Amino acid sequence: MEKEIEKINNLDTLCQKISEEVSKIENNLDDLTADVPPEVAALMSENDKLEYRIRILKRHAEELTENVALEGSILNFLQDIFTSSIKKSFPELKTFTCSVTRSTSEKFGDYQCNSAMNIAQVLRQQGAKVSPMDCAQKIVANVSCDLAIESLEIAKPGFINVKVKTSFLSKRISHLLNEGVKPPPIKKRKIVVDFSSPNVAKEMHVGHLRSTIIGESICRLLEFAGNDVLRLNHIGDWGTQFGMLIAHLQEKFPDYLNNVPPIKNLQEFYKESKLRFDTDEEFKKKAYSCVVQLQKYEPDMMKAWKQICDITAKEIEKIYKVLDITLIARGESFYQERMKTLVKELEERGVLIEDEGRKILFVPGINVPMTIVKSDGGFTYDTSDLAAIRQRVEEEKADWLIYVVDAGQSLHLESVFAAARELGFCPPEVKTDHAAFGVVLGEDKKKFKTRSGDTVKLADLLEEGLQKSLLKLKEKKRDEVLSPEELKAAQEAVAYGCIKYADLSHNRSHDYVFSFDRMLDDRGNSAAYLLYSLVRIRSIARNVNVSESALKEAAKSTEIILEHPKELKLAKIISRFQEVIINVIEDLSLHTLCDYLYELSVVFSEFYDNCYIIEKDPTGQIKNINMSRLLLCDATASMMTTGFHILGLKPLEKM
Ligand code: ARG
């Protein structure tokens, strides 16, 4: 946005210059007497055209600024305004950062600029005699923004408190109603998000569920903000364990080339083959030879490998389908050729060190070396991730890489990032982030397990969620008012919504306790509460028979009145959405968005309890509908719907 404003400023200066030139020419023309030679006449008409262009450009510039103000983050908008004012007030400052934050207390205003103290300090270091108060006064004198700023007040030692104009908030709500919820204007990037990423033949556990839920929401958020997002499922589908799986498959289902092996439980199958591998030397040899052949893409081996992968793919597909997750499967196997090339190059560059048959790589700043080639010649998790990061930068042209992986793998990813930087595969302008998350705990605060101590199967967990959400709905007698289809929709939305929301509403870096009872509680900050709030807001317009198209029409001509304190409070929180989105994108912390939506629905309830939307006569007939308030409901609903989409919650018609 700063760039936009600078462009507009440049445009302004240009317009001014042209204007000055035009008046000069005009003056000259005035001096000329009656007979105008044809060259001059031509110049005059050229002038007229130029003037016309100037007017259009000026209007365009104004519209652009206004749009940025009406649909962007207010905080960023103010930051730009204060930045220009500081530039103007203190041209002697070479660099400075302008700090604008939300007010710590409503008493002081809505926002505050905190830069005066800093500037005074810098200037004093340069020998000037100024106080923070002086600096603040200077900054205030150079701020001009009739559109958004109601008042600026200086408070000791040099804070500048900003009150936002009510008319500005009202315009923003109207803009939102007419144009829809807009993402804040930010730099668009090509982003790879690596998430979910279970392993073939191993249990997809609740940790993968966290990665799946958080990753999906991160993608939705970044897509909403206009980025080009590549969603990658980095499935563990390659490596030496496939040798024993294939060898076992060949023995158990010799006819596998013609008939798909009827493996019901791949985890059991894995355990069986592992047991044989550990106890039977012959089998072990065979397994190794299978790996060698697989890595040469021998067709029969590839077929067996694919059959095994397909079983896992089918299982996880089911989970993705119910949870509405979109992913491109691009497992470790995808990088086999790239790993070979990578290793060859690293050997040529002489960076690999021989260590008891292994080839290792030391990375600056990290104690533990990476293993690039194992003593049996195979590649490792390090190798595939190094090849993958390179592919993502060089081939996908990504400028931001996000890995949604449990915090336990921090050292691994840190090494991968550092190695990629050191080797030149990941230039400094490419951002890398490990969106790490904590462990899922059971209600006993111990590792999440079933009663019998087994790891919890994801499919079972989702099923249990469905059962519990149905019970809850029945407890509230919703089955008596909803049709069977509506009840089913509510059951699914609540079950999956609660599982997702419980995860997303916690700070992802903390461990988190998985508890159905807590997540299905519709009183606090939960999906059930939010889903229910939206249903209620939506029904307000329905109950007074105002259709969606009528609301749309009304939005064009109805001024949004913010006279009641609760109306104003609601408008303020609605207008904060873009700020929240920018924050969440910055630190990929979706709980901030959850908190925001919860606060929004609480503030909405206050508004609803205090501000009548309809007026009835003594017989109960509707006498009057307060359209401005009904539109505030609509704006709240749009904001919540957008938030729900990002969090993967399915809004319901009825509940
Ligand atoms: N398959 C790994 C696991 O289950 C997660 C992969 C994460 N992504 C990555 N590029 N390393 O732990």
Side-chain angles (χ1 to χ4, degrees):
M1 190 154 80
E2 214 181 303
K3 270 206 192 121
E4 290 292 339
I5 297 227
E6 201 166 314
K7 257 194 245 160
I8 293 168
N9 282 344
N10 289 343
L11 216 59
D12 251 3
T13 329
L14 194 68
C15 288
Q16 237 164 26
K17 277 203 191 127
I18 300 177
S19 243
E20 279 160 21
E21 286 306 311
V22 169
S23 18
K24 262 192 229 157
I25 299 175
E26 266 171 4
N27 288 344
N28 285 343
L29 281 181
D30 284 346
D31 291 348
L32 290 172
T33 38
D35 279 334
V36 180
E39 319 86 84
V40 180
L43 271 175
M44 282 166 80
S45 107
E46 189 56 24
N47 259 344
D48 286 345
K49 282 188 205 145
L50 276 173
E51 271 186 4
Y52 178 69
R53 286 286 304 152
I54 291 171
R55 275 200 302 277
I56 292 192
L57 279 171
K58 268 196 170 157
R59 206 179 319 135
H60 184 64
E62 278 163 18
E63 273 169 18
L64 254 154
T65 330
E66 174 143 333
N67 255 350
V68 168
L70 290 182
E71 58 190 39
S73 135
I74 299 183
L75 189 94
N76 279 22
F77 181 65
L78 292 175
Q79 197 137 26
D80 289 340
I81 288 173
F82 279 101
T83 304
S84 346
S85 162
I86 294 172
K87 265 189 201 158
K88 233 192 214 162
S89 315
F90 307 100
E92 66 272 35
L93 280 181
K94 301 243 149 38
T95 51
F96 63 90
T97 45
C98 170
S99 149
V100 177
T101 49
R102 227 148 57 75
S103 268
T104 40
S105 156
E106 251 172 75
K107 276 201 306 249
F108 304 134
D110 302 303
Y111 296 89
Q112 59 186 58
C113 171
N114 316 313
S115 298
M117 282 68 83
N118 217 328
I119 292 172
Q121 198 186 7
V122 173
L123 290 179
R124 266 185 290 188
Q125 275 162 3
Q126 292 173 2
K129 273 205 187 102
V130 283
S131 71
M133 290 299 269
D134 300 335
C135 292
Q137 255 142 19
K138 229 172 169 183
I139 297 172
V140 167
N142 279 319
V143 167
S144 73
C145 177
D146 282 342
L147 177 67
I149 299 177
E150 174 71 43
S151 65
L152 295 174
E153 251 174 42
I154 301 173
K156 273 182 188 160
F159 291 107
I160 304 168
N161 292 325
V162 186
K163 256 208 175 80
V164 169
K165 265 192 183 164
T166 304
S167 61
F168 175 57
L169 296 170
S170 158
K171 277 187 198 147
R172 276 183 67 106
I173 303 284
S174 291
H175 190 84
L176 155 75
L177 288 163
N178 290 311
E179 306 293 323
V181 183
K182 289 277 167 65
I186 50 167
K187 187 183 157 202
K188 310 283 180 259
R189 304 173 187 251
K190 169 82 194 245
I191 308 172
V192 169
V193 183
D194 177 320
F195 70 108
S196 194
S197 311
N199 304 313
V200 168
K202 292 196 196 140
E203 191 70 73
M204 181 174 179
H205 53 74
V206 74
H208 293 122
L209 180 65
R210 280 207 91 175
S211 171
T212 308
I213 290 171
I214 298 170
E216 172 70 29
S217 279
I218 288 180
C219 291
R220 286 174 180 229
L221 168 79
L222 297 169
E223 281 158 1
F224 166 70
N227 296 287
D228 180 3
V229 180
L230 180 61
R231 301 151 161 258
L232 291 184
N233 200 359
H234 193 78
I235 305 171
D237 66 354
W238 206 241
T240 35
Q241 82 271 24
F242 275 92
M244 63 185 199
L245 284 166
I246 294 172
H248 192 50
L249 180 87
Q250 284 177 332
E251 282 184 12
K252 248 189 130 169
F253 305 103
D255 191 29
Y256 75 96
L257 289 175
N258 305 312
N259 283 309
V260 180
I263 303 176
K264 283 257 152 50
N265 188 335
L266 197 58
Q267 281 82 48
E268 276 308 311
F269 188 82
Y270 178 87
K271 275 188 205 150
E272 282 166 28
S273 57
K274 177 93 173 80
L275 187 70
R276 294 216 48 203
F277 186 82
D278 291 339
T279 51
D280 181 340
E281 270 311 306
E282 268 312 294
F283 182 82
K284 201 170 188 168
K285 262 192 215 142
K286 201 173 156 208
Y288 276 132
S289 112
C290 285
V291 177
V292 175
Q293 291 176 64
L294 178 66
Q295 286 181 346
K296 286 185 189 142
Y297 302 121
E298 203 279 313
D300 288 359
M301 291 296 139
M302 285 301 283
K303 188 147 189 191
W305 168 77
K306 192 159 183 315
Q307 283 169 344
I308 294 168
C309 291
D310 281 350
I311 297 171
T312 301
K314 269 202 197 109
E315 259 173 46
I316 59 180
E317 255 331 299
K318 274 189 234 151
I319 290 171
Y320 295 153
K321 190 155 178 256
V322 296
L323 293 179
D324 203 6
I325 308 291
T326 314
L327 266 169
I328 293 174
R330 188 183 284 175
E332 293 172 5
S333 61
F334 175 87
Y335 303 96
Q336 169 65 14
E337 288 309 300
R338 288 172 181 79
M339 286 192 268
K340 281 198 213 154
T341 319
L342 172 84
V343 170
K344 201 166 145 247
E345 269 184 48
L346 295 186
E347 295 206 269
E348 280 163 11
R349 284 165 69 169
V351 290
L352 296 185
I353 293 169
E354 292 274 342
D355 176 65
E356 296 176 4
R358 303 181 303 154
K359 290 184 177 132
I360 58 173
L361 175 70
F362 277 96
V363 187
I366 294 170
N367 293 335
V368 194
M370 296 169 88
T371 302
I372 302 298
V373 186
K374 291 195 291 185
S375 48
D376 64 10
F379 302 141
T380 71
Y381 193 40
D382 289 340
T383 330
S384 54
D385 260 327
L386 206 48
I389 199 169
R390 185 181 194 187
Q391 193 275 343
R392 289 166 190 184
V393 174
E394 290 175 4
E395 295 177 50
E396 303 300 343
K397 310 261 180 282
D399 44 22
W400 190 3
L401 308 171
I402 299 172
Y403 293 71
V404 189
V405 183
D406 65 271
Q409 299 194 33
S410 293
L411 180 64
H412 166 70
L413 286 171
E414 223 178 283
S415 309
V416 173
F417 296 165
R421 300 246 183 241
E422 175 73 9
L423 295 166
F425 301 153
C426 187
E429 62 275 15
V430 177
K431 203 163 127 76
T432 51
D433 268 300
H434 175 198
F437 53 84
V439 185
V440 184
L441 304 172
E443 284 180 84
D444 54 1
K445 303 270 164 69
K446 295 208 180 100
K447 217 174 157 203
F448 192 59
K449 289 251 161 74
T450 62
R451 275 208 195 93
S452 56
D454 292 334
T455 48
V456 181
K457 276 214 174 84
L458 274 196
D460 296 348
L461 191 77
L462 298 178
E463 187 52 40
E464 189 182 343
L466 280 178
Q467 302 302 335
K468 292 225 156 114
S469 96
L470 185 62
L471 273 180
K472 192 89 192 173
L473 288 163
K474 284 189 171 162
E475 205 179 284
K476 302 218 156 214
K477 304 214 184 320
R478 306 315 296 160
D479 52 332
E480 290 168 19
V481 281
L482 298 176
S483 72
E485 295 77 37
E486 286 166 348
L487 185 67
K488 185 161 182 278
Q491 178 193 9
E492 288 175 358
V494 170
Y496 304 140
C498 283
I499 294 177
K500 290 180 189 175
Y501 192 82
D503 201 325
L504 297 171
S505 59
H506 286 86
N507 185 331
R508 68 171 155 74
S509 51
H510 300 167
D511 291 349
Y512 117 90
V513 176
F514 194 96
S515 153
F516 272 124
D517 290 339
R518 227 183 296 167
M519 53 178 91
L520 286 164
D521 190 347
D522 55 6
R523 282 165 305 182
N525 181 4
S526 72
Y529 173 80
L530 287 181
L531 285 167
Y532 184 66
S533 300
L534 183 56
V535 170
R536 212 171 56 140
I537 300 173
R538 279 265 162 76
S539 68
I540 297 169
R542 216 181 315 127
N543 289 344
V544 290
N545 281 329
V546 178
S547 67
E548 244 168 72
S549 56
L551 275 175
K552 272 229 140 23
E553 232 4 79
K556 287 185 203 154
S557 53
T558 312
E559 189 196 341
I560 304 296
I561 317 262
L562 305 172
E563 276 165 4
H564 194 286
K566 299 294 180 188
E567 289 174 327
L568 187 60
K569 192 171 175 193
L570 181 60
K572 277 187 184 171
I573 185 164
I574 292 177
S575 294
R576 229 173 67 206
F577 179 72
Q578 276 75 13
E579 247 159 77
V580 174
I581 292 291
I582 290 178
N583 267 340
V584 182
I585 292 179
E586 242 158 47
D587 45 22
L588 303 174
S589 60
L590 289 146
H591 69 279
T592 320
L593 178 61
C594 296
D595 291 346
Y596 169 78
L597 289 175
Y598 179 60
E599 196 183 332
L600 175 63
S601 65
V602 171
V603 171
F604 178 82
S605 292
E606 289 174 21
F607 154 79
Y608 189 65
D609 293 343
N610 287 281
C611 301
Y612 290 118
I613 293 169
I614 48 170
E615 228 182 289
K616 289 184 180 167
D617 67 14
T619 66
Q621 285 288 336
I622 294 175
K623 233 171 61 184
N624 184 31
I625 297 178
N626 185 326
M627 199 38 101
S628 161
R629 288 182 177 168
L630 200 58
L631 287 169
L632 272 173
C633 298
D634 198 39
T636 311
S638 310
M639 205 95 277
M640 288 186 80
T641 309
T642 307
F644 281 16
H645 171 74
I646 294 172
L647 300 175
L649 306 186
K650 274 220 171 81
L652 290 162
E653 277 298 308
K654 284 188 178 170
M655 185 171 162

